[in-house]
Amino acid sequence: MKYAIEAEGLNINYGKLSILWDLSFQIPKGMLVGLIGPNGAGKSTLLKAIVQLIKPFSGRICYSGHIAYVPQKETVDWDFPITVEEVVLMGRYSRLGLFGRPRRADRDAAKAALEEVGLLACAGRQISELSGGQQQRLFIARALVQNADLILLDEPFSGVDLASEKVIMGLLKKQKETGKTIVIVHHDLPSVEEYFDWVLLLNHRLLGCGPTKEVFTRDHLMKAFGKTQTLFHEALDLTAKNMSGLL
Amino acid sequence: MIDFFTDPVLRAPTWGCMLLCFASSLVGVMIFLKKRSLLAETLSHAAYPGACLGVVLFSFLFPQGEHGAYWAVLGGAFISSLFALLLVHWLESTRVSSDAALCFVLALFFGVGIVVASGMQSSIPVWYQEVRMLLFGQAATMSDLHIWIYGGLALFLLSFLFLHFCPLQALLFDRDFSKSARIRVEWVEKAVFWFLVLSLVLGIRSVGVVLMSGMLVAPAVCARAFSDRLQTVFIIAGSVGAASGFLGNVFSFYAHIPTGPTIVLVGTAFALGGLLFAPRRGVCFRLFRVFQFRLRCMEENVLKAVWKKGTVSERPTIALRLALWQLKRGGWMDRDLQLTDDGRKKAALIIRLHRLWELYLTEELGFHAEKVHHTAEEMEHILTPDMEEKLTRLLENPKLDPHLQPIPEKEL
């Protein structure tokens, strides 16, 4: 496959409400991609559709190579009885087979990933002892040991201070240099031009997909965040209510 | 005591309850960590109407039969629990919130069960006894057959845990990630629900539908308080479960009280004990550590006061006396309540931290100089040597605080 991710006529519904509306786009390999859009625009849904956690209503979406997914860190219980090292080892569990236990090579890979994100000293700690930024780096370490060609991150900078954000961004840029494609759900507009080579602008519909300079323009942003959108969403919402008999 | 394991009458309830409680506490850990404890409560109540209907059906088919009734109870309970599980899943997938769905299904199924049971009381009273005991269980009438059933369940669960520990751990911690990473969790997830329904249905015979969920969750609560590792949590929960099964039997035998509720009470006592006395997470030790911290604050305040004024001028309360005693014992003060050399250094350090913090708040964070004293009173006891060094570097080794008081030099 030529592209890292390719979507064609993708539609996704939650019940009667349509979340993503006829998306067609291609993302080339080796890019650092920002997935930008207002709250509730379907950014996380798109990521979940790419990793096949959600089935599309119609259309198709596919990727090339191996994939690693970094969920929002709020989705897990940080009080869970598990150590930092065990979380990273999880990235290798798909290779274990049904009855397997992690082997020496897996442990070495986990240690290397922890070293890479600067958490090796915390390997034996329970995960709730980590700070917000460290928790995010832990998730990234878990994605690194998966040795994927494509890494998808859902809001990696939420609840993370600016210093940690820079550290994490540095880590991801380094991964990009090795030829990987990185997709980041992001909603802090001022930093977009600095961070990303490629931008996918989303508000239920696709409003732009291309190099940052071409897509991240005033014109496109007005479309994504401006008032002209509200009428469209009102209509969608009304459709859903009519269809489910709530109106 | 050994009689409980060998005596022909006592051994079946003892072994049966121990094995069952062992198995159900392992399932309980999974449910507890998935935050679905209430689901266990709902499903165990939902087993009741099925068990009743199973007995009704059995009484029509085999009016003379006696021994097969147990299987009819199991089959009926299993089917109605499964229906309840499906109904909960369906309701949760619509707009109904999870707790409302659980309440609704619990009330619906248990209500139907009670109606059926009271109908049986008047129409087939012989069989009514059979379903009445399912409410609170009746361990005393267990036979050796139950040992084999519960032993089988325990063995099955143990081998499941041993063989599939990794995918199970991944599933319990982060389901979305596990699926995205192609870890084979789908059927492990199904297995967890099957084990839940199976252990609930098998367990109502000894503990009863009303109390069964307590038996699942209590050992898990206790184990979680003691350990931060999943393996250890499973081991502790299993041991606590088996111990409650055994002790519940012993207590109920000597005190002539029903076995099921006694087992649940023992399990709950373990859970309470864990929450109170676990070394790191237990309430008692945490209170003790808070007390230690407060005492240290007081000691440091005394040192500070003596450093500034030369004497202790306050009227000595009990806490102050304790603090003074500690200070003398630690070599910070001498018999006449004067600072020793170490004491003087320590007091200077505390004042240094206080004033550094005040300066940091005004210089770096833009606080007003009048408003910084209060938080500095607290922070002086908390700042670590590492943070002190960072502050010193950030503020370029300052000499004066915002109130133009000298900041004591760092002494080695």
Side-chain angles (χ1 to χ4, degrees):
Chain A
M1 213 168 109
K2 220 168 103 201
Y3 299 106
I5 304 172
E6 193 172 4
E8 226 181 85
L10 180 74
N11 282 289
I12 290 178
N13 293 9
Y14 268 153
K16 298 280 192 297
L17 190 68
S18 89
I19 303 287
L20 295 179
W21 181 283
D22 194 24
L23 260 52
S24 300
F25 61 86
Q26 291 101 18
I27 294 174
K29 289 177 181 169
M31 291 282 167
L32 193 53
V33 184
L35 183 44
I36 318 285
N39 275 333
K43 302 180 299 260
S44 299
T45 308
L46 180 57
L47 278 203
K48 285 185 182 168
I50 297 173
V51 290
Q52 295 167 8
L53 286 171
I54 297 177
K55 272 201 192 118
F57 180 71
S58 67
R60 68 183 187 93
I61 185 155
C62 49
Y63 58 88
S64 65
H66 288 290
I67 201 164
Y69 170 58
V70 180
Q72 283 185 26
K73 82 180 177 1
E74 288 75 20
T75 55
V76 304
D77 170 17
W78 287 94
D79 208 27
F80 194 87
I82 194 170
T83 63
V84 168
E85 193 188 0
E86 285 174 311
V87 171
V88 179
L89 274 174
M90 243 172 231
R92 309 273 291 195
Y93 279 4
S94 57
R95 302 161 197 219
L96 294 181
L98 214 47
F99 304 117
R101 285 278 187 286
R103 272 183 281 257
R104 185 71 186 275
D106 298 316
R107 287 183 194 285
D108 289 346
K111 287 231 169 79
L114 280 173
E115 173 104 71
E116 174 96 47
V117 302
L119 286 178
L120 194 56
C122 313
R125 291 209 205 145
Q126 204 262 329
I127 51 172
S128 64
E129 291 172 38
L130 301 183
S131 70
Q134 288 176 321
Q135 290 177 343
Q136 196 60 59
R137 277 187 276 155
L138 171 61
F139 265 15
I140 290 174
R142 182 174 69 172
L144 293 185
V145 295
Q146 286 182 273
N147 218 348
D149 310 296
L150 176 61
I151 304 179
L152 309 177
L153 301 103
D154 199 347
E155 304 259 2
F157 304 130
S158 80
V160 165
D161 61 77
L162 199 64
S164 298
E165 182 172 326
K166 297 281 181 229
V167 173
I168 292 168
M169 207 54 215
L171 276 169
L172 295 172
K173 280 203 169 127
K174 224 167 116 193
Q175 288 302 309
K176 192 206 92 171
E177 317 275 86
T178 65
K180 296 183 177 178
T181 312
I182 319 271
V183 179
I184 301 175
V185 170
H186 194 61
H187 59 219
D188 179 41
L189 296 180
S191 53
V192 168
E193 279 173 310
E194 182 195 336
Y195 286 174
F196 304 113
D197 320 318
W198 193 274
V199 164
L200 200 142
L201 207 54
L202 193 73
N203 193 355
H204 296 285
R205 294 175 308 133
L206 185 72
L207 297 164
C209 176
T212 310
K213 275 194 186 124
E214 287 171 26
V215 175
F216 198 69
T217 57
R218 212 188 115 75
D219 213 30
H220 278 102
L221 285 177
M222 278 303 286
K223 272 193 202 160
F225 291 87
K227 286 228 167 83
T228 44
Q229 287 285 310
T230 44
L231 201 64
F232 179 72
H233 293 143
E234 248 175 64
L236 276 190
D237 214 34
L238 271 179
T239 320
K241 279 185 179 157
N242 275 312
M243 301 271 276
S244 50
L246 286 171
L247 210 72
Chain B
M1 221 28 117
I2 208 91
D3 284 353
F4 280 95
F5 295 104
T6 52
D7 183 88
V9 181
L10 289 179
R11 76 175 173 216
T14 311
W15 280 110
C17 289
M18 280 179 72
L19 288 167
L20 172 75
C21 293
F22 172 76
S24 58
S25 44
L26 296 183
V27 177
V29 171
M30 305 178 206
I31 295 302
F32 175 68
L33 290 178
K34 275 203 92 164
K35 308 218 179 302
R36 298 308 314 257
S37 305
L38 264 179
L39 183 66
E41 177 80 357
T42 301
L43 295 188
S44 75
H45 280 76
Y48 194 54
C52 295
L53 288 171
V55 173
V56 170
L57 199 66
F58 184 79
S59 71
F60 279 120
L61 295 177
F62 311 98
Q64 309 303 324
E66 203 33 58
H67 296 295
Y70 178 56
W71 299 105
V73 167
L74 282 191
F78 191 77
I79 290 169
S80 69
S81 283
L82 218 54
F83 264 121
L85 184 63
L86 291 178
L87 188 57
V88 169
H89 276 317
W90 178 72
L91 282 173
E92 282 176 350
S93 73
T94 62
R95 280 163 180 268
V96 182
S97 72
S98 177
D99 58 341
L102 290 169
C103 282
F104 171 72
V105 174
L106 186 148
L108 175 72
F109 277 72
F110 197 52
V112 169
I114 297 290
V115 168
V116 174
S118 57
M120 289 169 78
Q121 191 177 10
S122 51
S123 56
I124 39 173
V126 191
W127 294 99
Y128 176 63
Q129 279 309 315
E130 187 81 22
V131 296
R132 210 179 71 105
M133 81 176 194
L134 292 177
L135 277 181
F136 298 105
Q138 202 172 61
T141 56
M142 281 184 184
S143 65
D144 285 357
L145 172 71
H146 294 98
I147 301 183
W148 292 111
I149 295 175
Y150 297 150
L153 176 70
L155 202 66
F156 203 30
L157 251 166
L158 269 183
S159 43
F160 169 78
L161 277 182
F162 190 72
L163 293 174
H164 305 302
F165 184 78
C166 287
L168 179 70
Q169 183 191 43
L171 170 74
L172 293 178
F173 176 60
D174 192 344
R175 183 170 176 270
D176 275 1
F177 171 79
S178 311
K179 288 193 142 184
S180 79
R182 306 257 179 279
I183 303 172
R184 282 161 233 175
V185 290
E186 282 85 6
W187 84 270
V188 172
E189 189 169 32
K190 288 204 179 80
V192 171
F193 282 116
W194 282 102
F195 276 127
L196 172 64
V197 174
L198 208 61
S199 59
L200 285 173
V201 166
L202 290 174
I204 57 176
R205 178 67 169 71
S206 55
V207 180
V209 292
V210 180
L211 298 173
M212 189 56 211
S213 66
M215 205 49 246
L216 256 88
V217 177
V221 171
C222 176
R224 181 66 191 92
F226 279 101
S227 176
D228 276 341
R229 299 294 301 271
L230 187 57
Q231 293 95 321
T232 331
V233 169
F234 273 117
I235 293 169
I236 298 177
S239 320
V240 168
S244 339
F246 176 68
L247 292 175
N249 256 291
V250 174
F251 292 154
S252 79
F253 178 76
Y254 287 117
H256 303 290
I257 43 180
T259 314
T262 315
I263 293 176
V264 174
L265 281 180
V266 173
T268 315
F270 272 116
L272 197 65
L275 292 176
L276 285 178
F277 301 116
R280 210 176 68 79
R281 298 173 145 250
V283 174
C284 284
F285 287 93
R286 283 191 357 222
L287 282 177
F288 179 67
R289 283 193 290 267
V290 170
F291 169 74
Q292 274 186 324
F293 172 70
R294 295 250 175 259
L295 187 63
R296 190 167 59 83
C297 289
M298 185 155 211
E299 287 168 32
E300 293 181 353
N301 285 337
V302 170
L303 285 180
K304 220 170 53 168
V306 177
W307 191 84
K308 281 183 184 160
K309 297 182 212 156
T311 53
V312 184
S313 53
E314 277 175 71
R315 179 191 291 234
T317 58
I318 295 172
L320 184 57
R321 273 173 210 212
L322 185 60
L324 286 173
W325 181 75
Q326 281 267 31
L327 284 169
K328 277 188 267 185
R329 207 180 57 131
W332 309 110
M333 288 176 112
D334 58 20
R335 281 160 181 273
D336 313 319
L337 298 181
Q338 291 302 310
L339 295 180
T340 61
D341 208 34
D342 281 344
R344 200 185 44 73
K345 276 186 195 164
K346 177 143 171 115
L349 175 69
I350 295 157
I351 289 175
R352 175 179 167 78
L353 291 178
H354 180 107
R355 294 182 178 165
L356 275 178
W357 185 253
E358 287 186 333
L359 193 63
Y360 168 68
L361 288 184
T362 49
E363 291 283 300
E364 303 291 326
L365 302 185
F367 276 71
H368 264 291
E370 306 94 70
K371 301 204 168 171
V372 293
H373 177 74
H374 199 71
T375 68
E377 275 296 293
E378 253 175 61
M379 295 312 293
E380 65 191 17
H381 308 297
I382 288 169
L383 293 173
T384 60
D386 179 45
M387 291 165 90
E388 182 206 344
E389 210 184 300
K390 278 186 193 157
L391 280 175
T392 311
R393 240 182 300 138
L394 184 71
L395 301 166
E396 291 161 348
N397 197 16
K399 303 285 176 239
L400 291 176
D401 78 354
H403 315 291
L404 302 179
Q405 307 237 38
I407 298 176
E409 285 292 323
K410 191 175 169 64
E411 290 178 78
L412 295 170

